[in-house]
Amino acid sequence: MTDNNKSKFSIDQWQKSFEKETKIDSVDNFINSSDEGIDIKPIYTEQDLHNLEFIEKDSLPGQWPFTRGPKASMYTNRPWTIRQYAGFSTAEESNEFYRKNLESGQKGLSVAFDLPTHRGYDSDDELVMGDVGKAGVAIDTVEDMKILFNNIPLNEMSVSMTMNGAVLPILSSFIVSGEEQNVGKDQLSGTIQNDILKEFMVRNTYIYPPDPSMKIVADIIEYTSKEMPKFNSISISGYHMQEAGADNVLELAYTLADGIEYVRAAKSKGLDVDEFAPRLSFFFAIGTDFFMEIAKLRAARTLWAKIMRDFGAKKEKSLMLRTHCQTSGVSLTEKDPYNNIIRTSYEALSAVLGGTQSLHTNSFDEAIALPTDESARIARNTQLILQNETGVTKTVDPLAGSYFIESLTDQLSKKAWDIIQEVEELGGMTKAVKAGVPKLKIEESATKKQAKVDSGSRVVVGVNKFKNPNEPKVDVRVIDNEKVRDDQIKKLDQIKKSRNQKDVDHSLSELVTAAKEDKNLLEYSIDAIRNRATVGEVSKALESVFGRHFAKSLSVSGVYGKHFEGDQDFMNVSNKIDIFEKDFGRRPRVLVVKMGQDGHDRGAKIVATSFADLGFDVDMGPLFQSPKDVVKDAIENDVHAIGVSTLAAGHKTLVPELMKCLKESDPDNKIIIFVGGIIPEQDYQFLYDQNVSAIFGPGSNIIECAEQVIDLISKNSNKK
């Protein structure tokens, strides 16, 4: 008997046993299609490795195509870097938080900036009154940056900064902070995210239009490749794509397509690919699909090696994809939140088995508010336990050779490569972004995921199954937004009084000229920041040349409703909407809005498209509206309800302002206000006292939310 016959006989026997045990006619009934459209079989064998297209079965860690890891020794020599992402309130408070974490075993810093800083506004700007210090640390000048790193030696500490919109003044502030610590820029190590393309797709903390934004990216790559040999000039990020709803194939493909575009931008500066490629890094999200996430990281390394070889890279380091990972934020639930500790632990293990170089583990309470010291300690210790107690650092790529993992890695690679080729046919990622193609595909994926959760076809423990009848109370961190803003404004006033205004004006004028003459903008930004120009002043100087970008709001339709054909709850809500139309001569109209500088619009988009599929007339407000703008739109469009989406903790400032503007504009108007997003339960009564009619936290079932809204609108309309 040949080996092949023996294998076939064994598979036949297994299939018969499987069908007998499961009482089904065919094994095919147990094939499940993933979000990525990959069929997951109940068994994998050596046969699945016979026709691999991208994966080389005999590859080794640290060798082409780096599927098994960028380094030969991986964690056996040194474990991944624990790099917790944090920042809130003032630079003083964040500095204290950083130093505590470093003393407790954290090895690198990862800085979260507040939304005004991301969007290039100073804290005293009236457009940002509800956002200062809320979702990150407020940085207005280099003096704030110096406080942020007080007693943290920048020649010894690797610093990662998530910054894209105001990347020039922030990186300049970091460089000048180093200078004033007597640390030269050639000694600074770390990473600036500098990934603007994904901002236009999902996160929306952009400032300028795509073309000048890409010039800024290239300027930073050029400058750092020549002046900062230890510093990574870009972190090409898929994280926010998955957070916005992208499946793993979309995240993988669009991230690498972004990388291709950035390589081209750097080459346009006359740089040889091997000059800058070793300092490129990546950033991926790690969700709860355990094996898919492992395969994604292996596929990313494999594809990037191929891409860089095609660019003519010769150095081994130019071919290696190095990545930071962060556990999923969107997988965290407000309901039964201690389950999030378990989710994060398995996501962290997935990132480690996939071969990440550094890792952030989310705190369990981040679906409710900013993490407390205690929840941050648990998140950090999750990694310390993985490193020191589980044995995962003893073997390099322990899942290599798994029939399932190798097959899955190859299938992910194929599907991602097909999408990359589609982007190339559109003329590259900048043109694809301008056309809105990636954004719409990600929004469609997000809506499908939400529909699966709401319909129960995807189980989320504690949310749509195995619910906890006794929800635990969780302590949350509270930021006094008004105090933080007042403190920042006082510091700004002091700096403006003490600086040499002529030097500031001259350096800002030079920056404007450099923007017009296509010079390297980082050089001139450093001069301006050194003279104590503010983040907002540098950003507005560039805005005077480039303009400020305003995105068009696009949305998908029909995607949510497809998952509920024949569903009784869905039809009940639709019927209520039909009855309302018969009674009042028009359909209930809802305006869904984001206020302040919070650009995370996944939730708002899902609510808008699902409510429309249910039968509401839905208007989607543009991003970054003020409460006054929202009221104007609501009255002009004669809406019955305003739905406010909030993910950046600005609800206690922005919602009362909305109510005030609504009352001033039309005292007799009876528009219903409902609020959804990350809102601590302790803030619910405050919002109800502001006459908010309904509050929907993370994990809320959209059909149930829609029914509550139509009932409120109907009741309110009958009163009229």
Side-chain angles (χ1 to χ4, degrees):
M1 185 181 292
T2 66
D3 287 342
N4 284 342
N5 286 336
K6 184 178 179 182
S7 176
K8 185 174 186 302
F9 174 77
S10 300
I11 289 295
D12 288 343
Q13 287 294 98
W14 171 85
Q15 184 168 330
K16 288 177 183 177
S17 298
F18 185 91
E19 290 170 354
K20 182 179 179 181
E21 290 170 14
T22 56
K23 297 182 175 63
I24 58 169
D25 296 331
S26 171
V27 172
D28 291 345
N29 292 343
F30 268 72
I31 293 176
N32 295 292
S33 182
S34 70
D35 289 339
E36 296 76 16
I38 294 173
D39 287 339
I40 306 299
K41 302 187 297 184
I43 193 171
Y44 287 77
T45 69
E46 189 179 355
Q47 295 290 321
D48 292 289
L49 306 186
H50 284 183
N51 296 305
L52 299 179
E53 186 176 336
F54 288 87
I55 304 305
E56 298 182 20
K57 289 189 292 182
D58 299 325
S59 69
L60 291 169
Q63 296 180 16
W64 171 271
F66 307 102
T67 308
R68 299 191 63 185
K71 298 286 186 181
S73 59
M74 290 300 287
Y75 311 138
T76 60
N77 179 47
R78 188 180 74 180
W80 65 93
T81 299
I82 300 173
R83 190 185 296 278
Q84 292 297 90
Y85 177 58
F88 53 87
S89 187
T90 61
E92 289 87 350
E93 286 194 58
S94 292
N95 172 262
E96 183 182 353
F97 186 79
Y98 292 159
R99 285 191 283 112
K100 283 180 182 176
N101 280 359
L102 292 171
E103 289 166 6
S104 301
Q106 186 172 313
K107 298 300 183 183
L109 291 180
S110 184
V111 182
F113 299 98
D114 72 354
L115 291 169
T117 305
H118 276 288
R119 296 266 296 145
Y121 294 112
D122 289 333
S123 297
D124 59 357
D125 196 301
E126 63 179 14
L127 292 174
V128 301
M129 62 176 185
D131 297 304
V132 176
K134 279 297 211 178
V137 60
I139 300 292
D140 292 315
T141 71
V142 68
E143 293 299 330
D144 288 330
M145 190 72 82
K146 287 169 65 179
I147 293 167
L148 191 66
F149 297 116
N150 185 38
N151 291 321
I152 299 173
L154 291 177
N155 59 334
E156 299 175 14
M157 184 58 57
S158 172
V159 177
S160 173
M161 292 176 285
T162 301
M163 177 52 64
N164 304 287
V167 64
L168 286 170
I170 288 300
L171 181 54
S172 298
S173 296
F174 180 66
I175 291 168
V176 175
S177 291
E179 288 176 0
E180 297 184 11
Q181 267 195 17
N182 294 317
V183 177
K185 53 183 174 282
D186 60 328
Q187 295 178 271
L188 295 172
S189 65
T191 304
I192 189 80
Q193 192 164 92
N194 193 29
D195 174 9
I196 199 62
L197 287 172
K198 71 101 169 46
E199 299 296 335
F200 294 112
M201 278 187 264
V202 291
R203 193 163 171 257
N204 300 309
T205 57
Y206 44 70
I207 300 175
Y208 317 109
D211 289 331
S213 295
M214 285 298 293
K215 175 206 162 24
I216 291 170
V217 171
D219 283 356
I220 289 171
I221 294 174
E222 178 186 39
Y223 184 93
T224 54
S225 67
K226 294 175 180 177
E227 305 288 341
M228 303 174 72
K230 296 181 178 181
F231 197 78
N232 297 326
S233 56
I234 191 167
S235 173
I236 305 157
S237 173
Y239 182 85
H240 301 96
M241 297 180 201
Q242 188 179 124
E243 289 293 279
D247 61 49
N248 281 282
V249 165
L250 289 174
E251 180 194 3
L252 175 59
Y254 288 150
T255 304
L256 298 185
D258 282 352
I260 291 170
E261 196 80 338
Y262 294 135
V263 171
R264 289 186 181 132
K267 284 172 69 70
S268 73
K269 290 285 188 179
L271 297 173
D272 180 82
V273 67
D274 284 318
E275 283 185 75
F276 63 85
R279 307 312 306 170
L280 302 178
S281 66
F282 287 79
F283 175 27
F284 286 103
I286 304 295
T288 55
D289 195 338
F290 187 78
F291 294 109
M292 192 72 73
E293 296 290 359
I294 295 167
K296 179 182 72 185
L297 297 185
R298 301 174 89 251
R301 289 191 291 270
T302 306
L303 291 175
W304 188 245
K306 169 182 169 58
I307 288 165
M308 295 309 292
R309 184 179 62 182
D310 291 346
F311 269 116
K314 295 179 176 60
K315 288 183 181 178
E316 194 173 66
K317 286 187 176 180
S318 300
L319 303 170
M320 294 177 184
L321 181 146
R322 297 164 300 109
T323 190
H324 172 71
C325 289
Q326 180 173 340
T327 58
S328 173
V330 77
S331 73
L332 303 177
T333 64
E334 180 196 37
K335 300 292 185 185
D336 215 357
Y338 290 111
N339 289 339
N340 295 331
I341 298 173
I342 302 158
R343 292 186 180 100
T344 295
S345 298
Y346 283 115
E347 290 167 355
L349 179 59
S350 186
V352 169
L353 294 176
T356 190
Q357 278 59 71
S358 62
L359 179 61
H360 167 96
T361 34
N362 286 331
S363 299
F364 76 87
D365 51 358
E366 289 185 53
I368 304 168
L370 288 169
T372 63
D373 288 348
E374 184 64 18
S375 67
R377 186 186 69 85
I378 293 169
R380 182 185 62 251
N381 286 357
T382 299
Q383 295 196 54
L384 291 172
I385 289 167
L386 276 175
Q387 288 185 351
N388 294 283
E389 296 186 24
T390 63
V392 294
T393 62
K394 294 178 180 178
T395 302
V396 179
D397 193 19
L399 293 184
S402 157
Y403 302 140
F404 178 40
I405 286 294
E406 300 294 5
S407 175
L408 194 56
T409 302
D410 197 63
Q411 289 184 78
L412 270 168
S413 299
K414 287 177 186 176
K415 282 186 169 288
W417 190 249
D418 287 344
I419 293 174
I420 291 169
Q421 297 313 302
E422 289 174 10
V423 171
E424 290 294 284
E425 288 169 10
L426 289 169
M429 204 52 163
T430 303
K431 290 183 178 177
V433 163
K434 286 181 180 178
V437 174
K439 193 174 187 70
L440 277 177
K441 284 196 173 184
I442 290 171
E443 286 173 9
E444 182 178 356
S445 174
T447 305
K448 286 178 181 176
K449 287 183 179 182
Q450 184 65 44
K452 287 179 180 179
V453 173
D454 288 350
S455 66
S457 62
R458 169 176 289 162
V459 173
V460 181
V461 174
V463 174
N464 63 1
K465 200 170 183 181
F466 311 113
K467 296 180 182 180
N468 186 348
N470 301 305
E471 283 287 331
K473 297 289 184 184
V474 176
D475 292 332
V476 298
R477 184 184 294 277
V478 177
I479 302 295
D480 186 340
N481 166 247
E482 291 184 7
K483 183 180 184 304
V484 173
R485 187 166 186 255
D486 288 344
D487 289 345
Q488 288 299 116
I489 291 172
K490 287 175 186 175
K491 287 194 287 184
L492 269 169
D493 289 343
Q494 289 172 358
I495 288 166
K496 287 178 180 179
K497 287 175 183 176
S498 62
R499 69 188 184 180
N500 186 316
Q501 192 61 41
K502 284 186 178 180
D503 289 346
V504 175
D505 293 343
H506 176 72
S507 57
L508 290 173
S509 176
E510 289 283 295
L511 178 60
V512 169
T513 301
K516 292 176 179 176
E517 295 179 356
D518 198 27
K519 296 179 181 178
N520 190 295
L521 297 176
L522 182 53
E523 294 179 17
Y524 291 89
S525 297
I526 292 170
D527 287 340
I529 290 296
R530 196 180 282 127
N531 288 326
R532 271 36 186 186
T534 70
V535 168
E537 287 169 339
V538 170
S539 299
K540 285 181 179 178
L542 293 169
E543 187 182 337
S544 71
V545 180
F546 299 143
R548 185 171 277 268
H549 180 69
F550 295 95
K552 293 179 181 177
S553 183
L554 304 171
S555 61
V556 297
S557 62
V559 174
Y560 187 86
K562 283 180 183 177
H563 288 263
F564 293 92
E565 291 178 3
D567 181 87
Q568 191 60 51
D569 292 335
F570 188 94
M571 289 191 295
N572 285 343
V573 177
S574 293
N575 288 337
K576 287 187 176 185
I577 291 170
D578 290 340
I579 292 169
F580 182 92
E581 183 180 20
K582 289 176 184 175
D583 289 345
F584 296 97
R586 65 182 183 119
R587 307 186 81 72
R589 194 173 192 91
V590 176
L591 173 63
V592 179
V593 300
K594 299 284 298 183
M595 294 190 293
Q597 301 306 307
D598 176 13
H600 295 81
D601 60 354
R602 170 184 176 149
K605 288 289 184 69
I606 289 174
V607 168
T609 188
S610 56
F611 271 43
D613 285 358
L614 282 157
F616 287 92
D617 279 340
V618 179
D619 297 317
M620 182 77 197
L623 287 171
F624 314 123
Q625 282 190 297
S626 69
K628 189 175 181 180
D629 294 332
V630 171
V631 169
K632 183 174 180 290
D633 285 353
I635 292 174
E636 286 180 355
N637 291 306
D638 194 18
V639 303
H640 297 97
I642 299 171
V644 177
S645 173
T646 175
L647 295 176
H651 53 275
K652 290 184 75 172
T653 306
L654 294 169
V655 172
E657 185 66 19
L658 174 67
M659 294 302 194
K660 177 185 172 188
C661 292
L662 192 58
K663 189 171 184 180
E664 289 174 353
S665 298
D666 190 351
D668 297 325
N669 195 283
K670 300 294 184 184
I671 296 175
I672 296 292
I673 307 293
F674 62 97
V675 182
I678 297 178
I679 305 165
E681 189 176 347
Q682 66 193 41
D683 291 350
Y684 280 23
Q685 191 57 52
F686 171 84
L687 293 176
Y688 287 135
D689 290 343
Q690 297 292 320
N691 292 321
V692 168
S693 296
I695 302 169
F696 306 116
S700 296
N701 182 290
I702 285 185
I703 294 176
E704 293 174 5
C705 298
E707 183 167 26
Q708 193 171 341
V709 170
I710 183 58
D711 287 346
L712 286 166
I713 291 173
S714 297
K715 184 179 179 181
N716 197 52
S717 298
N718 284 325
K719 284 183 181 179
K720 293 179 185 178

